[in-house]
Amino acid sequence: MKKILLVEDEKSTSDIYSQVLKEAGFEVTVADDGQKGLDFAKAGGWDLILLDVMLPKLDGLAILTELVKSPPTVANKKIILLTNLSLDPVVKEALSLGASEAIVKSDTDPGKLLEKVKNLTT
Amino acid sequence: MYFSYSHQKTDFLLNILGRLTFVTGGIAIYFLLTLSHNFPRPIFKFPNFVKYLMLGETIALSVVTLFTKFIDQDESYIDGSVITVYGSLYPWFIIHFVGLMLASLTILFVKYRKSTSFEKQQLKFLFAGLFLTTGFAVITNLFVPLLTGYYDIQRLGPIGTVFMVATISYAIIKHRLMDIRLIIVRSVTYILLITVLGIFYSGSTFAISSIISRQMGQTADLLLSTFFALIIALTFQPLRLFLEKITSNIFYKDRYDSQELLNTLSHTIATTLTLSDLTFKVLEVVTTQMKISRAFIVTTRNKKLYIIESHHKTKRIAISADEFEKFQSETNVVVFEEVPEGSTKEFMRQNEIAAILPLRTREHYIGLFLMGTKSSGDIYFDQDISVLEIIGPELAIALQNAQRFEEISDFNITLQEEVKRATGELRIANEKLKELDRLKDEFVSLASHELRTPMTAIKGHLWMVINKHKIPPATKEELDKAYASTERSIAMVSDMLDISRIEAGRLTLEPIELDLVKLGKEIASDLAPKIQEKKLTVTIPEGADFRIKADDAKTRQVIINILGNALKFTPEGGKITLGFKVKDNFVETSITDTGVGIKKEDLPKLFSKFGRLDNSLSSVSASPGTGLGLYISKKIIELSGGKIWAESEVGKGSTFIFSLPKAK
């Protein structure tokens, strides 16, 4: 079973995404703030991390930076930036810190996201 | 009349001398009239008959006086006095003498009134001298003897000439009546010349003839005389020049060569550009050559008086702006001795200024050239005045040029400083604007983030209800509309964000090689649900390879925009056709629909901000859209180096075309 870490503080969003992903057979772990997100991510071995940027305690970029500084023993396979923020510099920095792409949450829908996740994890 | 004789009887000589005195007086007064008329130049012309009449009258009077008894009947010596017995025509003499004298004085007086500056002064003294002398003579020689019968008073007559001598001498010294030194130089030269020649000639003749003529007789004397006469004739001119040079050198020790001075000045003026250099050099040349103790040039610089002095150690002059302006209308050289007592004279005295040359161009008063006394102590002569009159305009123009040059230079400097300052201000303003812009951008991003977050939640939940729950079709329809509206709100936020970036110049493009056919197909497949919903046919040409160099996401956005519009405005069962064409270094993409079309006058509005057209708005109100799509598309295409335009026919459909650089 594919392991997915969803770092997202907005509860309704994380509920919907985790529900759709779980129904599709993914093992989903939700972290509702940056610190928890970093702790989980550092454990390593995730097939996919869906990472929000605007997070309490520690933002998405800080998590990525930490991961670059001290990579987990078992590497995470893929990190995707999942955000409603559209600051180009932020996206660029995230991509340079190891995220493979950025998805604007409002522009997608649960169905499309599921498709994307399926594509990325196979 | 004034001679004293020891003989007691009337004699011939006394009579002749007496008559000669009258003749001389009659002729003298005629010459006085001529002098008055011609000095310094005639101001009117005597008609010929008047001229001849006066001359004839004078000659007639002289002849009558000398040869008849009608004027001076008899002169006799009685008791130590010479008694004149006047003839019957004596009043003629009186009328002649007094008439011509009055005429002379009148002419001089009129001239005095009409003349200016130093001429006025010269005439004043000449007039005064004549007036006093003749007046005195008339009193002593005519009125007193006639009225009292006391003739001895006539002896005082000649004393009156003292007035004339005094005033004319004064005028010579103070008012350049005539160059007295020239007269002295000439006199000395000729005296020396005659002395030298005399000594040489007589000495030589005597010496040689005393040796030779004894043996050779009179023929030799004649030959010798001829020989010396020849020598004199040949040596006269060179000797005269030589003596003249020596005397001139003695008397004109401070003389300078006007031509040389003017040449030097012209050269200086022509080769100097800046005001300070020019003025200082000119002062140096003039003071050195004309041997002037000190000199100043006063002019204006930046609307303030600018005073340049020849020698730094001398006392500076004190001149106020008012005093400076006072000379504005002065055109002649002002010489201290000729200035009447008053503020000007006081100004010159206080500042030890002997002459002032006003500097004027044809139109403007430029400044003043103030000169101190000459080192020799001499006054300013005609030569100096002439030179100064030539220098004046030339120097004025040079000064004006220098002033203008400086004004332009100053202006340039000011301009540079202004530009520098303004640039500095602009840079600061620009920094502030950049900062503001960054803040605005950040604000818009954060605001859009905050808007998007709840919208994402609504959209997500709606999606879940629509897709994961079994709901009645009527409810689904309602929820579909709610979903579409949410999407529209989200699109609006995205468009706003795009516009904010475009207008801040922050829209960054990362051109890569793109295959338009592949891109078109991907987009068409993304939009497939909508295409199917309206039963539209979308055609994309197969096979051909149309590659462009452009930003992937942004190009995609443009195609989605145009295609989205086409989907919206094309009625059910319609056709949408994509076409590609290579033109020069560009690939033109056309998207043609069979929609409602756009009125020709509405075409230009299409690509403007919020450029939605009324008719399309009412006809397809259900279609989501912000009206910003085409505006954003246009900006993206233009930033990518291409063009976008539309062609349309109402009722038949529209074609949107955009060009993008071809991949190499």
Side-chain angles (χ1 to χ4, degrees):
Chain A
M1 204 189 275
K2 303 282 180 187
K3 284 167 69 185
I4 293 177
L5 172 63
L6 176 60
V7 189
E8 170 66 71
D9 61 320
E10 245 287 310
K11 197 171 180 306
S12 53
T13 306
S14 62
D15 281 353
I16 293 167
Y17 288 169
S18 62
Q19 187 189 337
V20 172
L21 290 170
K22 277 175 185 165
E23 278 174 14
F26 291 97
E27 188 190 313
V28 182
T29 308
V30 177
D32 62 4
D33 71 44
Q35 192 54 56
K36 285 178 198 160
L38 178 64
D39 293 344
F40 283 123
K42 268 191 168 170
W46 300 98
D47 291 296
L48 179 67
I49 300 175
L50 296 170
L51 182 64
D52 192 10
V53 177
M54 298 276 274
L55 291 164
K57 291 181 185 171
L58 207 65
D59 70 28
L61 287 179
I63 294 172
L64 286 171
T65 314
E66 275 303 308
L67 289 174
V68 170
K69 267 192 208 160
S70 44
T73 36
V74 188
N76 299 309
K77 282 182 182 162
K78 220 156 219 164
I79 303 173
I80 285 185
L81 214 59
L82 194 63
T83 178
N84 268 331
L85 204 66
S86 21
L87 285 170
D88 285 342
V90 174
V91 173
K92 265 190 191 158
E93 201 183 335
L95 293 180
S96 73
L97 288 169
S100 55
E101 64 181 288
I103 292 171
V104 176
K105 282 185 274 183
S106 66
D107 288 352
T108 185
D109 63 46
K112 278 183 194 160
L113 183 75
L114 181 61
E115 287 302 309
K116 191 100 199 171
V117 171
K118 278 180 181 166
N119 283 338
L120 289 167
T121 48
T122 48
Chain B
M1 294 187 290
Y2 312 120
F3 302 100
S4 169
Y5 281 88
S6 53
H7 309 284
Q8 285 200 328
K9 58 176 179 136
T10 306
D11 62 22
F12 175 73
L13 187 61
L14 194 60
N15 270 334
I16 288 296
L17 284 172
R19 284 173 185 179
L20 271 176
T21 310
F22 281 100
V23 170
T24 314
I27 293 173
I29 208 75
Y30 173 78
F31 284 131
L32 180 67
L33 180 75
T34 319
L35 174 71
S36 309
H37 178 244
N38 290 300
F39 178 82
R41 70 190 77 82
I43 53 166
F44 68 94
K45 216 179 154 188
F46 279 120
N48 274 344
F49 81 92
V50 177
K51 237 196 289 183
Y52 295 130
L53 190 73
M54 287 194 299
L55 182 63
E57 189 264 348
T58 308
I59 291 168
L61 179 68
S62 305
V63 170
V64 170
T65 310
L66 201 59
F67 298 110
T68 69
K69 287 175 171 275
F70 293 120
I71 305 294
D72 184 359
Q73 197 183 338
D74 190 38
E75 301 275 339
S76 53
Y77 189 75
I78 302 160
D79 298 336
S81 298
V82 176
I83 301 296
T84 304
V85 179
Y86 300 111
S88 54
L89 287 179
Y90 183 64
W92 178 16
F93 178 80
I94 301 284
I95 291 165
H96 169 84
F97 192 88
V98 175
L100 291 190
M101 187 189 73
L102 286 177
S104 303
L105 289 172
T106 311
I107 291 171
L108 279 179
F109 188 68
V110 170
K111 276 186 181 176
Y112 165 70
R113 291 292 298 274
K114 283 188 176 174
S115 63
T116 53
S117 73
F118 67 94
E119 268 180 23
K120 199 178 183 75
Q121 300 299 319
Q122 293 173 351
L123 283 164
K124 184 167 89 180
F125 285 99
L126 195 62
F127 174 78
L130 277 178
F131 186 77
L132 291 172
T133 304
T134 51
F136 192 82
V138 166
I139 291 165
T140 54
N141 288 28
L142 289 175
F143 293 127
V144 177
L146 280 176
L147 292 174
T148 61
Y150 177 59
Y151 287 89
D152 277 358
I153 192 100
Q154 286 178 340
R155 297 180 190 200
L156 286 175
I159 297 169
T161 49
V162 168
F163 295 118
M164 185 112 119
V165 172
T167 52
I168 291 177
S169 305
Y170 184 77
I172 287 172
I173 294 163
K174 280 284 185 186
H175 301 292
R176 296 186 271 126
L177 183 61
M178 56 191 96
D179 193 344
I180 194 79
R181 284 193 299 187
L182 190 66
I183 297 165
I184 297 172
V185 166
R186 290 277 149 82
S187 315
V188 171
T189 306
Y190 282 97
I191 290 166
L192 279 172
L193 189 64
I194 289 160
T195 314
V196 169
L197 286 174
I199 292 169
F200 173 76
Y201 180 74
S202 53
S204 305
T205 312
F206 177 75
I208 294 172
S209 63
S210 62
I211 302 165
I212 299 173
S213 67
R214 269 179 221 154
Q215 285 110 33
M216 302 190 65
Q218 279 201 336
T219 322
D221 272 354
L222 198 67
L223 277 171
L224 267 175
S225 300
T226 316
F227 173 70
F228 282 116
L230 266 171
I231 285 182
I232 288 169
L234 289 171
T235 53
F236 180 82
Q237 199 62 6
L239 195 62
R240 188 185 67 85
L241 286 173
F242 171 73
L243 290 171
E244 199 171 67
K245 206 176 157 192
I246 291 172
T247 42
S248 290
N249 280 345
I250 294 164
F251 284 94
Y252 289 109
K253 224 183 274 174
D254 60 338
R255 193 162 66 166
Y256 53 92
D257 185 341
S258 318
Q259 200 50 50
E260 195 193 315
L261 171 62
L262 291 174
N263 289 345
T264 319
L265 265 186
S266 293
H267 180 75
T268 308
I269 285 169
T271 53
T272 319
L273 199 54
T274 62
L275 196 59
S276 51
D277 270 9
L278 177 79
T279 45
F280 194 75
K281 281 185 186 170
V282 166
L283 284 169
E284 199 178 83
V285 170
V286 174
T287 49
T288 326
Q289 296 216 13
M290 287 177 80
K291 300 190 177 67
I292 302 171
S293 56
R294 62 194 202 130
F296 302 88
I297 288 176
V298 182
T299 184
T300 50
R301 194 187 211 180
N302 299 326
K303 290 178 181 161
K304 279 180 192 158
L305 281 192
Y306 178 63
I307 304 170
I308 312 97
E309 55 206 298
S310 57
H311 299 86
H312 285 291
K313 283 170 191 166
T314 56
K315 192 178 91 182
R316 287 215 68 167
I317 54 156
I319 180 167
S320 68
D322 284 346
E323 277 164 338
F324 178 73
E325 289 303 322
K326 213 168 59 183
F327 291 98
Q328 192 163 7
S329 50
E330 191 64 58
T331 45
N332 296 320
V333 178
V334 179
V335 180
F336 179 76
E337 287 78 10
E338 291 158 11
V339 181
E341 278 304 330
S343 57
T344 304
K345 190 142 188 149
E346 194 49 36
F347 163 74
M348 292 175 85
R349 188 179 289 131
Q350 297 235 319
N351 290 297
E352 293 162 30
I353 295 300
I356 300 175
L357 168 68
L359 302 171
R360 299 184 60 88
T361 62
R362 200 181 289 252
E363 295 96 5
H364 302 289
Y365 170 54
I366 302 298
L368 293 172
F369 192 75
L370 306 167
M371 285 151 283
T373 49
K374 287 184 165 187
S375 310
S376 61
D378 276 327
I379 62 159
Y380 281 77
F381 293 111
D382 284 342
Q383 185 203 10
D384 310 318
I385 308 294
S386 310
V387 167
L388 291 175
E389 275 167 357
I390 297 169
I391 296 173
E394 211 179 331
L395 185 55
I397 289 169
L399 281 178
Q400 193 180 43
N401 288 343
Q403 281 173 336
R404 286 182 182 165
F405 174 76
E406 288 207 345
E407 272 168 28
I408 292 169
S409 307
D410 288 352
F411 179 71
N412 279 343
I413 292 166
T414 323
L415 202 65
Q416 274 174 7
E417 280 167 0
E418 275 298 305
V419 168
K420 211 169 158 185
R421 194 183 56 76
T423 314
E425 278 175 9
L426 275 177
R427 196 179 296 123
I428 294 165
N430 200 25
E431 295 293 326
K432 278 184 186 163
L433 277 176
K434 271 186 184 163
E435 175 63 10
L436 272 177
D437 211 43
R438 197 187 60 76
L439 287 173
K440 190 192 89 176
D441 212 43
E442 207 173 281
F443 170 77
V444 171
S445 290
L446 292 175
S448 66
H449 176 265
E450 294 311 303
L451 281 169
R452 274 168 165 180
T453 304
M455 283 175 185
T456 310
I458 296 168
K459 187 179 166 181
H461 287 296
L462 282 173
W463 189 90
M464 293 297 275
V465 176
I466 294 165
N467 292 285
K468 300 281 175 181
H469 299 270
K470 283 189 176 161
I471 45 169
T475 314
K476 188 181 180 289
E477 205 176 305
E478 296 293 329
L479 290 176
D480 277 343
K481 280 180 189 167
Y483 189 83
S485 293
T486 313
E487 285 235 89
R488 202 162 143 183
S489 301
I490 289 166
M492 180 76 107
V493 171
S494 293
D495 284 353
M496 291 292 198
L497 259 174
D498 280 343
I499 284 185
S500 153
R501 277 188 202 147
I502 286 167
E503 290 182 350
R506 221 181 282 275
L507 188 77
T508 46
L509 298 172
E510 279 167 30
I512 53 163
E513 206 173 288
L514 294 173
D515 180 358
L516 276 169
V517 176
K518 191 174 157 231
L519 205 63
K521 282 185 176 169
E522 278 174 20
I523 293 164
S525 102
D526 279 350
L527 296 170
K530 275 181 188 167
I531 295 168
Q532 283 157 17
E533 195 185 312
K534 286 184 90 173
K535 298 185 181 74
L536 300 172
T537 320
V538 176
T539 322
I540 295 165
E542 288 282 342
D545 185 36
F546 297 104
R547 291 179 168 275
I548 53 163
K549 185 110 190 211
D551 184 282
D552 184 15
K554 300 300 173 195
T555 309
R556 216 175 265 270
Q557 194 179 344
V558 171
I559 297 173
I560 291 170
N561 255 321
I562 300 174
L563 210 51
N565 279 340
L567 291 178
K568 264 184 257 168
F569 300 118
T570 306
E572 272 195 22
K575 274 187 194 168
I576 294 169
T577 316
L578 265 69
F580 306 108
K581 189 167 86 182
V582 177
K583 198 172 182 185
D584 299 327
N585 288 323
F586 291 87
V587 179
E588 285 181 4
T589 305
S590 61
I591 297 165
T592 309
D593 64 47
T594 54
V596 291
I598 306 149
K599 280 191 226 158
K600 204 173 180 181
E601 63 264 33
D602 287 337
L603 283 174
K605 287 190 227 163
L606 278 176
F607 299 97
S608 59
K609 218 193 275 185
F610 301 107
R612 289 194 63 147
L613 313 172
D614 284 359
N615 62 338
S616 54
L617 190 67
S618 56
S619 59
V620 267
S621 60
S623 308
T626 58
L628 292 166
L630 285 175
Y631 173 74
I632 294 167
S633 299
K634 184 172 189 267
K635 294 289 174 190
I636 291 170
I637 294 295
E638 283 173 356
L639 274 171
S640 311
K643 279 182 189 163
I644 187 166
W645 68 98
E647 294 160 1
S648 185
E649 206 175 315
V650 176
K652 283 197 172 174
S654 312
T655 304
F656 283 80
I657 305 145
F658 64 85
S659 62
L660 283 170
K662 196 174 76 174
K664 275 161 194 147

